[in-house]
Amino acid sequence: MRHRIAGNRMNMPEPRRRAARRSLMAGLIRFDRIETTTSRAQAIRGEVEKLIDTAVKGRQAAQSHLAKVVSDKEKAEQILAFARKGRFSLDAKVASNEERAAQSKAPLTDKGRKFLEQKLKDRREELLQIISNESEAKKALEAAYQSMVIELHARRKILSALPDELVVKKMFEELAPRYAGRPGGYTRSTKLGRRKGDAAEIIQIALV
């Protein structure tokens, strides 16, 4: 029975082939271009295009969700940067030692309590400097957290195929903005001739 042999096998056992594909894809995304044989370039090109498309669409979906609540692009970027610092609510208060004990947390000293209260105050002021109306600020912050969840889903989908945090970070922070609005076609190939020894055709595959 001829099972699990469809597609380009790269003439390797399956575990080694999977590792080689991931290494080639990571190298292409990290350095924008790699030189390899035609068969290996063909084996990774389609998958790289799909992963970049996932990052582009994930980022755009996250931005669209936030834009429904915060139409000002500059404010949307500021509120998202604020949300990335950690979970926060304008209703947040420092719990009393009795409440902390009920939550199995250690009691706070006066100094520790003042530190946390000042931290909450500073974050509150930072948020209200972006959006002065408290009600609108709450809605904007929740939308920002939800947009982060949308983007996180896309990140996890890519990580399942290419488990490299630095590469995925570049895809969302650099490649997704670069290819926003581009309907595919993120790579190009250029023939470089044949390799000495086995005469295998070598090409350069690069991100456009």
Side-chain angles (χ1 to χ4, degrees), residues 66 69-71 75-76 78-83 86-91 123-146:
L66 183 55
V69 179
V70 186
S71 57
K75 285 187 177 182
Q78 291 176 343
I79 203 76
L80 188 58
F82 178 89
R87 196 76 189 179
F88 176 75
S89 170
L90 285 171
D91 300 324
R123 292 212 71 190
R124 179 186 178 86
E125 290 176 354
E126 183 182 354
L127 176 59
L128 294 178
Q129 282 179 355
I130 301 171
I131 301 176
S132 57
N133 183 284
E134 287 195 15
S135 178
E136 292 179 2
K138 286 181 181 179
K139 292 179 182 178
L141 189 56
E142 283 304 313
Y145 286 132
Q146 186 59 39

Side-chain angles (χ1 to χ4, degrees), residues 78-134:
Q78 291 176 343
I79 203 76
L80 188 58
F82 178 89
R84 292 189 191 281
K85 294 179 181 180
R87 196 76 189 179
F88 176 75
S89 170
L90 285 171
D91 300 324
K93 295 180 180 180
V94 180
S96 66
N97 284 340
E98 290 77 13
E99 292 171 331
R100 290 178 65 85
Q103 298 169 1
S104 299
K105 295 181 179 180
L108 291 172
T109 63
D110 290 341
K111 185 177 180 180
R113 183 172 298 281
K114 286 180 180 179
F115 173 80
L116 291 179
E117 288 175 346
Q118 185 61 46
K119 186 176 180 180
L120 286 177
K121 182 180 178 181
D122 291 342
R123 292 212 71 190
R124 179 186 178 86
E125 290 176 354
E126 183 182 354
L127 176 59
L128 294 178
Q129 282 179 355
I130 301 171
I131 301 176
S132 57
N133 183 284
E134 287 195 15

Side-chain angles (χ1 to χ4, degrees), residues 22 31 33 51 57 65 78 84 87 89 152 176 182:
R22 286 176 173 175
F31 304 113
R33 67 191 69 240
L51 294 180
K57 289 180 178 179
H65 180 82
Q78 291 176 343
R84 292 189 191 281
R87 196 76 189 179
S89 170
L152 180 61
R182 185 184 182 93

Side-chain angles (χ1 to χ4, degrees), residues 8 24 28 32-46 187-196 198-207:
N8 193 312
L24 288 168
L28 174 57
D32 279 14
R33 67 191 69 240
I34 57 171
E35 294 179 10
T36 186
T37 61
T38 302
S39 60
R40 292 190 177 195
Q42 290 173 346
I44 67 167
R45 186 172 186 174
T187 62
R188 66 166 177 265
S189 300
T190 306
K191 292 184 178 180
L192 300 178
R194 293 191 175 273
R195 184 167 61 190
K196 291 182 180 180
D198 62 357
E201 189 175 40
I202 302 298
I203 70 172
Q204 181 190 81
I205 180 170
L207 301 178

